[in-house]
């Protein structure tokens, strides 16, 4: 039984630097093609399951490129420990400062990177099968059956019409987020749980004399509590 030390592994890797020529262009194209197909699947899933305020086509496109670049990196370093250590050192000086507001965007980034790693290493069953499974989970969890939409209802009204407003609000499931009183006028910010498609109560509130405004906004976590 051969017991190789760390120094022996390094020496062996250095001696095998020429083995990169064995990676044929066909294998590279196959790996990149599979990575592209899977990353386009991620692109599609992100687009149909997006629930934020403004959809970013640029970010979604970057997921495809991230998978392809990761695949190329893995193809380069997978067969030699010396280059892998050098790549770790090179990447350690890179700083990413892009602001990620939606936690789910981070999940998609890790998904794209994992796909590139699996495809670059030639483990296509993990790349394809895992992505199909994750995609189905995301579609199911994003369906209306599992969604619990949250809205913010902002009402500004005169204090004298409080008795007309309370019966309407009592029919809704809400949590009081803030209340501002000034010059006999009140502004309420309410968090509504799963309003559904029926938002006629907004028009009803607005039609009451003494109500200055009634605004309904979908809450996605960007507002300060």
């Amino acid at each position: 039984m051969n017991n190789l030390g760390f120094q022996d592994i390094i020496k062996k890797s250095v001696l095998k630097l020429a083995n990169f020529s064995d990676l044929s262009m066909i294998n590279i194209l196959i790996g990149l093609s599979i990575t592209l197909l899977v990353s386009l699947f991620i692109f599609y899933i992100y687009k149909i399951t997006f629930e934020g305020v403004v959809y970013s086509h640029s970010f979604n496109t970057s997921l495809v490129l991230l998978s392809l670049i990761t695949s190329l990196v893995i193809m380069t370093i997978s067969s030699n420990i010396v280059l892998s250590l050098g790549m770790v050192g090179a990447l350690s000086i890179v700083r990413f400062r892009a602001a990620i507001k939606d936690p789910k965007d981070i999940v998609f980034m890790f998904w794209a990177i994992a796909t590139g790693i699996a495809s670059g290493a030639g483990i296509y069953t993990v790349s394809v099968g895992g992505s199909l499974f994750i995609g189905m989970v995301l579609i199911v969890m994003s369906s209306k059956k599992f969604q619990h939409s949250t809205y913010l209802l902002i009402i500004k009204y005169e204090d004298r019409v409080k008795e007309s407003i309370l019966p309407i609000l009592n029919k809704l499931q809400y949590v009081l987020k803030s209340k501002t009183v000034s010059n006999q006028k009140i502004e309420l910010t309410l968090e509504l749980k799963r309003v559904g498609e029926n938002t006629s109560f907004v028009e009803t509130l607005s039609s009451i004399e003494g109500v200055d405004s009634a605004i309904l906004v979908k809450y996605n976590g960007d507002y300060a509590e």
Side-chain angles (χ1 to χ4, degrees):
M1 181 177 180
N2 294 328
N3 294 322
L4 295 177
F6 183 74
Q7 292 182 349
D8 296 326
I9 296 175
I10 296 293
K11 291 178 181 178
K12 188 176 181 180
S13 297
V14 173
L15 293 175
K16 289 185 176 181
L17 282 173
N19 288 346
F20 285 103
S21 60
D22 296 334
L23 191 61
S24 66
M25 183 60 67
I26 295 179
N27 291 333
I28 295 175
L29 291 176
I30 291 175
L32 290 178
S33 298
I34 294 177
T35 303
L36 177 61
L37 291 175
V38 177
S39 60
L40 289 176
F41 175 72
I42 297 175
F43 179 94
Y44 174 74
I45 294 296
Y46 180 84
K47 187 173 183 178
I48 65 173
T49 60
F50 180 77
E51 299 174 0
V53 178
V54 179
Y55 167 75
S56 175
H57 179 77
S58 176
F59 175 80
N60 202 2
T61 303
S62 68
L63 294 176
V64 178
L65 299 177
L66 182 61
S67 291
L68 292 172
I69 294 172
T70 303
S71 181
L72 282 176
V73 171
I74 296 302
M75 289 180 187
T76 304
I77 69 176
S78 60
S79 61
N80 190 275
I81 190 172
V82 174
L83 285 181
S84 63
L85 292 175
M87 186 65 69
V88 171
L91 293 178
S92 65
I93 65 175
V94 180
R95 296 292 183 268
F96 298 97
R97 301 183 182 275
I100 304 296
K101 294 184 178 180
D102 190 346
K104 196 163 68 172
D105 288 350
I106 301 177
V107 174
F108 275 93
M109 290 180 66
F110 275 105
W111 184 10
I113 292 172
T115 296
I117 292 174
S119 298
I123 315 175
Y124 304 127
T125 53
V126 173
S127 178
V128 177
S131 294
L132 289 175
F133 182 80
I134 294 173
M136 288 189 294
V137 171
L138 282 170
I139 291 175
V140 172
M141 296 302 293
S142 299
S143 64
K144 290 186 177 181
K145 182 179 179 180
F146 290 90
Q147 283 183 349
H148 297 277
S149 299
T150 303
Y151 295 85
L152 289 181
L153 177 62
I154 305 171
I155 315 170
K156 189 173 183 180
Y157 59 93
E158 298 177 5
D159 185 56
R160 62 183 178 84
V161 298
K162 179 172 60 177
E163 299 301 326
S164 301
I165 291 176
L166 288 179
I168 301 175
L169 297 181
N170 290 334
K171 296 179 182 179
L172 306 173
Q173 295 181 353
Y174 69 88
V175 176
L176 179 63
K177 305 296 288 186
S178 68
K179 180 178 180 179
T180 304
V181 181
S182 62
N183 298 326
Q184 299 299 317
K185 289 190 176 183
I186 300 175
E187 181 176 318
L188 295 179
T189 302
L190 309 177
E191 179 181 318
L192 305 182
K193 297 293 185 180
R194 198 171 184 178
V195 175
E197 300 297 331
N198 184 10
T199 59
S200 59
F201 60 90
V202 180
E203 286 79 6
T204 303
L205 289 170
S206 299
S207 63
I208 298 176
E209 183 180 357
V211 175
D212 294 338
S213 62
I215 304 172
L216 185 66
V217 181
K218 188 172 183 179
Y219 179 68
N220 65 348
D222 292 340
Y223 300 94
E225 295 188 6

